[in-house]
Amino acid sequence: MAPYTTIPLSPAELSYLHTSLSQTPPIRPDGRSPTQFRPLVAETDILPSTNGSARICFPDGTEAIVGVKAEVERSKQENNGSTSEVHLKRDRRMEQQNEDMEDRDANEGKGREGWVELAIEIPGMRDDDALPIFLSAMLTEALLADQGLKDALYINTRFHWRLYIDILLLSLPLSYPLPLLSQTTHLALLSTRLPALVSEQDEDPLFNDDWEASTYLYPKSNPSQTAQRKPPITLLVMAVGETILFDPSADELAVADAVVALSVTQSTAGLKLIALRTIDPPSRLTSGGIPNALNTTPVAAGAQQTALSSNEALKLRENDQGRSVWRPPRGGVKRVVLSRMIKAVVEEDGVGGEVMQGLANVET
């Protein structure tokens, strides 16, 4: 689907902007470099009744708030035999597992996708509108690709944490809101804390009432660790010809040849790509310059004007490529350009690492 954005630019303005962004180096309307992001205001722990929360505001006034709530939920089990037999078999199985898994994480691979629920609310839109559904699908896809998040919600074979992520956009988006929502969700998950578990093995969960003893969903890094596990983040990257631009504004999206959403996460081995989606750029919705032969504006009185058939108009439009002041771009992104986008994000000291480091510096 095409990003939600208005395009109040004339064909001449679109052509000028496209030419400026195609230069080397590109000239962006706000003077940023190709990999420079827009400044933002961010804070965490703003909602006292949640396990984690965050707020981010962009310079154009677009603002988002994310709240994370965790609830204990009973896991679905197969009931074979009497309750006492099931408990006895379970205890024996757990004892064997504890012996076999003494030297590794017993929770690895036990998380389930259904334990994470994400909802997006945008002013003036219904929950079943295309934009909230599409954004929710992209953010959920990135979150569920992180097995570490699902495993962190595992308590024991009988219970687990269920995570509710509620995203609220406080105003209509002036540009594509995916980067804003992703960064705010990233911060909220970084600040999310779960009560410390006191019970052992398959006992009914019992937690420490002291909130100071709670543990972070994404543990803070230790000096001995080279990399810290972090929530995924989705970056918006656009291409104009061979030029790659990060965090495009609404005006820049209006002339994009291709737009790609890249989702990456921080693992112990470094950044890795977990999801990639191409997005239909709004530039396809722009109106092109009209050649004089196709101009349908009424002519002066007494003048003759011959109407063209649909086939003739289509043929003339195809032959006019490159001669009109502006034509909406067609086609997708080249493989070489896509490869450069991915490399710029996941490489060491790349754009993805810079964004995550900047968000990690937000005080919690």
Side-chain angles (χ1 to χ4, degrees):
M1 63 170 293
Y4 178 88
T5 181
T6 57
I7 307 175
L9 300 176
S10 68
E13 291 172 322
L14 292 171
S15 176
Y16 176 80
L17 182 57
H18 187 277
T19 303
S20 299
L21 296 178
S22 302
Q23 295 182 6
T24 305
I27 302 176
R28 305 182 73 170
D30 51 11
R32 289 183 290 150
S33 66
T35 59
Q36 186 176 357
F37 284 69
R38 288 169 289 180
L40 55 84
V41 177
E43 58 180 336
T44 59
D45 295 329
I46 61 173
L47 303 176
S49 60
T50 61
N51 293 78
S53 60
R55 180 187 75 93
I56 288 183
C57 181
F58 276 179
D60 59 9
T62 308
E63 185 175 357
I65 293 179
V66 174
V68 180
K69 190 70 175 178
E71 295 182 356
V72 176
E73 187 176 71
R74 183 181 293 273
S75 303
K76 295 182 180 179
Q77 292 182 330
E78 296 181 359
N79 296 324
N80 299 323
S82 63
T83 304
S84 59
E85 292 177 352
V86 172
H87 288 179
L88 181 59
K89 291 179 180 179
R90 185 186 61 240
D91 292 341
R92 291 175 179 174
R93 184 173 64 252
M94 285 298 300
E95 292 177 359
Q96 183 65 34
Q97 289 178 348
N98 290 336
E99 294 176 359
D100 296 340
M101 299 180 178
E102 183 176 359
D103 296 330
R104 68 184 181 93
D105 187 4
N107 297 345
E108 184 178 353
K110 293 187 176 182
R112 299 293 179 264
E113 293 184 356
W115 297 354
V116 179
E117 183 174 331
L118 186 145
I120 298 178
E121 182 176 346
I122 300 178
M125 294 189 179
R126 293 161 48 96
D127 293 340
D128 56 354
D129 283 345
L131 182 62
I133 292 178
F134 189 65
L135 292 173
S136 177
M138 288 204 297
L139 294 177
T140 303
E141 179 184 27
L143 289 174
L144 296 182
D146 180 15
Q147 184 62 39
L149 171 62
K150 294 179 286 187
D151 291 342
L153 303 179
Y154 177 86
I155 298 178
N156 54 40
T157 59
R158 299 170 56 208
F159 295 92
H160 64 267
W161 288 106
R162 186 176 183 86
L163 211 62
Y164 297 92
I165 304 174
D166 295 314
I167 304 175
L168 174 61
L169 197 61
L170 297 183
S171 59
L172 283 174
L174 300 179
S175 61
Y176 200 47
L178 178 61
L180 171 64
L181 303 185
S182 176
Q183 293 175 30
T184 313
T185 303
H186 178 92
L187 274 183
L189 289 174
L190 276 181
S191 66
T192 298
R193 303 167 72 175
L194 300 176
L197 186 65
V198 177
S199 56
E200 299 179 354
Q201 297 186 2
D202 274 357
E203 300 176 351
D204 288 349
L206 181 62
F207 301 98
N208 192 331
D209 294 334
D210 186 6
W211 186 247
E212 296 298 328
S214 61
T215 59
Y216 283 97
L217 180 63
Y218 286 87
K220 302 297 182 181
S221 60
N222 297 324
S224 59
Q225 294 178 330
T226 57
Q228 170 196 357
R229 187 174 65 86
K230 295 180 180 179
I233 192 169
T234 301
L235 304 178
L236 202 63
V237 192
M238 63 170 276
V240 180
E242 300 296 327
T243 304
I244 297 175
L245 302 174
F246 285 85
D247 191 27
S249 63
D251 290 343
E252 292 171 338
L253 286 173
V255 298
D257 293 333
V259 182
V260 178
L262 299 172
S263 299
V264 295
T265 186
Q266 177 75 60
S267 64
T268 55
L271 280 182
K272 66 176 181 179
L273 181 69
I274 56 177
L276 183 150
R277 285 201 183 192
T278 57
I279 299 174
D280 193 18
S283 54
R284 304 185 194 277
L285 305 179
T286 58
S287 57
I290 302 176
N292 290 332
L294 294 177
N295 192 356
T296 59
T297 305
V299 297
Q304 296 292 330
Q305 181 174 359
T306 303
L308 298 177
S309 65
S310 59
N311 291 334
E312 291 174 337
L314 178 60
K315 183 178 180 180
L316 183 58
R317 184 178 293 110
E318 292 293 337
N319 294 335
D320 188 65
Q321 289 293 327
R323 285 187 283 172
S324 292
V325 64
W326 169 253
R327 282 293 178 191
R330 300 179 181 180
V333 57
K334 297 180 180 179
R335 293 184 179 179
V336 176
V337 177
L338 184 60
S339 177
R340 289 172 50 210
M341 290 180 178
I342 298 174
K343 182 178 180 181
V345 172
V346 302
E347 67 182 354
E348 187 176 359
D349 298 329
V351 178
E354 291 180 3
V355 174
M356 285 197 171
Q357 184 60 42
L359 294 175
N361 291 333
V362 177
E363 297 183 0
T364 58

